[in-house]
Amino acid sequence: MNITESKFYRDKCFINGEWVGADSGETISVNNPATLKEIGTVPKCGTNETKRAIEAANAAWPEWRAKSARQRSDILRKWFDLMIENKEELAQMMTVEQGKPINESRGEIGYGASFVEWFSEEAKRVYGDTIPDPMTDRRIVVLKQPVGVVASITPWNFPNAMITRKCAPALAVGCPVVIKPASQTPFSALALAVLAEEAGFPKGILNVITGKASEIGDELATNPIVRKLSFTGSTEIGKILLEKCSGTVKKVSMELGGHAPFIVFDDANIDDAVAGAMQSKFRNTGQTCVCANRVYVQEKVYDEFCQKFVEAVSKVKVGDGLDEAVASGPLIDEHSLSKVEEHVQDAVQMGAKVAIGGSRHELGMNFYQPTILTDVTPQAKITSEETFGPVAPVYKFKDEKEVIELANNSPYGLASYFYSRDIGRIWRVAEALEYGMVGVNTGLTSKAEAPFGGIKESGLGREGSKYGIDDFIEIKYVNMCGLDK
């Protein structure tokens, strides 16, 4: 697919309802990770353009928040309908710029749209409270109001859904948004702006700006007009943004790094566990913050699980994501590929065995073989660092107490998974795991209806579900007195 021929292709930023370039005229090249060929360019904007986007959003805010919840809901619903209506073209654009298999891209468009649908409905359910006052001539009323301009900084691994998951609740409650997509995958974000314009969002309510991450991020984090910043990315960058946001005491949501344990107990259905490990680990070529990073298997079923896991991985076809038969695409860039190589080589030097894969794929470029490592040691880098690639390290454990300690021995606390058919164990382990999300007998947990987010150094706040709207509102207490006169 030549995405430059798509009706959704834009090589300009979207600020205050206008398609504009960078003040300097500079651009950033965007390459297809499967071919390494340039597919287009986007503006290389910086501080000044970001300020204008923020100011445009702020100027548009009074009109947007004054609309009824039903009016905002109707526009969001139209945005959702347009995403579903154009799913195939949006999916192909995503695969070309991000590399994920086309079936996964189709799934992401549907998944991303589900947040717009969910919050279009939740827009009508932002309820306040009345609280009994101890004095008879007084009433306590609690109002919920939009926080103000929201900044959204999103990653390249889910270039559609990470935007909708952040922006749909903000827009639903009456906040305008300024979106900074990853430079590797800007076209999916700009396509959403095309659809937002068609859906009827007023000018300035949704803005998309591409360019210098450091300059744009710094302005979004320090500008006092921005009252909320939502970020998905590395823990390292998240900590920097938290420091910058502290200067203006912004509300923040941080969805940061993960290092998910995937535990298989000896009473598990092994075939189901293998299927779940395949879903969790190798989806998006292992480039997800919630994917299984450490696979712990109880001694009694270790050999059986490893054998079946290797058999499943051996059937995975690697290649360009536009091929319908492909299940594993390229890594996003050379830096990511080098990190995967480093983790595998380090683990092998520490005594791990390569059960399958273990090197760059014969296709070359950014492709890496789906890999399973067995007998991995705790000292290996892959045990403590997030790999973000198609490599599954497998560890053997003795009992429940040991594996819970191993699983919790991480500064991260985003997602976790385990397989068991013992109802007592299911409750004990689910409550003991120090993670914001726990998948029991499943390798996929995220959905619009459920709260997505982590604890410890994996972040702050929740996205999705009825809880996901809370971070975009302020609570105002009104004390009404003298009512008996």
Side-chain angles (χ1 to χ4, degrees), residues 11-27:
D11 59 1
K12 304 292 184 185
C13 292
F14 190 62
I15 300 176
N16 200 26
E18 304 292 335
W19 295 98
V20 298
D23 292 351
S24 64
E26 293 183 86
T27 60

Side-chain angles (χ1 to χ4, degrees), residues 332-386:
I332 191 66
D333 54 29
E334 174 66 29
H335 174 75
S336 296
L337 184 63
S338 297
K339 184 178 182 182
V340 170
E341 282 191 307
E342 178 191 352
H343 276 196
V344 171
Q345 292 168 3
D346 173 77
V348 170
Q349 289 173 0
M350 292 286 183
K353 298 180 178 62
V354 177
I356 189 170
S359 61
R360 295 191 182 210
H361 197 276
E362 61 185 12
L363 290 171
M365 293 175 285
N366 291 338
F367 293 96
Y368 196 88
Q369 295 175 339
T371 298
I372 296 175
L373 303 175
T374 59
D375 300 328
V376 184
T377 63
Q379 294 75 28
K381 289 182 179 179
I382 203 168
T383 305
S384 57
E385 298 179 12
E386 189 176 25

Side-chain angles (χ1 to χ4, degrees), residues 200-399:
F201 284 99
K203 288 186 176 182
I205 293 302
L206 186 145
N207 306 271
V208 180
I209 185 165
T210 63
K212 304 172 186 176
S214 57
E215 285 192 26
I216 295 173
D218 187 71
E219 185 61 31
L220 293 175
T222 59
N223 192 307
I225 296 175
V226 176
R227 296 311 310 151
K228 165 68 190 277
L229 184 140
S230 182
F231 170 74
T232 294
S234 72
T235 296
E236 292 73 21
I237 299 300
K239 289 178 179 179
I240 293 171
L241 289 171
L242 278 170
E243 288 184 15
K244 292 181 181 294
C245 287
S246 68
T248 50
V249 197
K250 296 188 196 311
K251 289 172 73 82
V252 295
S253 293
M254 294 280 156
E255 199 262 283
L256 308 178
H259 204 252
F262 186 102
I263 304 167
V264 182
F265 288 101
D266 57 15
D267 66 313
N269 181 310
I270 301 304
D271 291 334
D272 287 350
V274 169
M278 293 296 296
Q279 283 182 318
S280 177
K281 175 70 262 184
F282 295 104
R283 183 168 59 101
N284 200 18
T285 318
Q287 298 173 117
T288 80
C289 54
V290 294
C291 74
N293 279 278
R294 296 166 288 154
V295 181
Y296 295 106
V297 185
Q298 202 157 9
E299 290 176 330
K300 184 179 177 180
V301 295
Y302 182 86
D303 291 339
E304 179 187 358
F305 176 86
C306 289
Q307 178 187 346
K308 291 184 174 181
F309 197 19
V310 169
E311 289 175 1
V313 169
S314 70
K315 298 174 184 177
V316 174
K317 182 177 179 180
V318 178
D320 189 322
L322 290 177
D323 182 341
E324 295 279 352
V326 163
S328 182
L331 291 161
I332 191 66
D333 54 29
E334 174 66 29
H335 174 75
S336 296
L337 184 63
S338 297
K339 184 178 182 182
V340 170
E341 282 191 307
E342 178 191 352
H343 276 196
V344 171
Q345 292 168 3
D346 173 77
V348 170
Q349 289 173 0
M350 292 286 183
K353 298 180 178 62
V354 177
I356 189 170
S359 61
R360 295 191 182 210
H361 197 276
E362 61 185 12
L363 290 171
M365 293 175 285
N366 291 338
F367 293 96
Y368 196 88
Q369 295 175 339
T371 298
I372 296 175
L373 303 175
T374 59
D375 300 328
V376 184
T377 63
Q379 294 75 28
K381 289 182 179 179
I382 203 168
T383 305
S384 57
E385 298 179 12
E386 189 176 25
T387 304
F388 235 62
V391 182
V394 187
Y395 308 77
K396 189 183 295 184
F397 73 91
K398 293 181 179 180
D399 56 36

Side-chain angles (χ1 to χ4, degrees), residues 26-102:
E26 293 183 86
T27 60
I28 297 172
S29 177
V30 182
N31 299 320
N32 182 335
T35 64
L36 306 186
K37 294 180 180 178
E38 183 182 278
I39 53 178
T41 63
V42 292
K44 190 176 183 180
C45 295
T47 302
N48 290 334
E49 298 92 334
T50 307
K51 284 181 178 178
R52 289 201 294 275
I54 293 169
E55 289 163 0
N58 196 48
W61 182 33
E63 178 187 350
W64 183 242
R65 71 186 179 198
K67 289 184 180 295
S68 70
R70 179 61 180 268
Q71 288 174 313
R72 294 194 297 269
S73 174
D74 289 345
I75 295 174
L76 280 163
R77 179 70 198 198
K78 178 63 175 175
W79 199 28
F80 162 77
D81 290 338
L82 289 168
M83 289 180 202
I84 298 301
E85 182 181 321
N86 295 281
K87 178 189 289 188
E88 184 62 26
E89 196 163 347
L90 294 173
Q92 291 192 32
M93 177 176 283
M94 182 187 299
T95 291
V96 170
E97 69 170 346
Q98 200 276 337
K100 67 176 60 178
I102 186 64

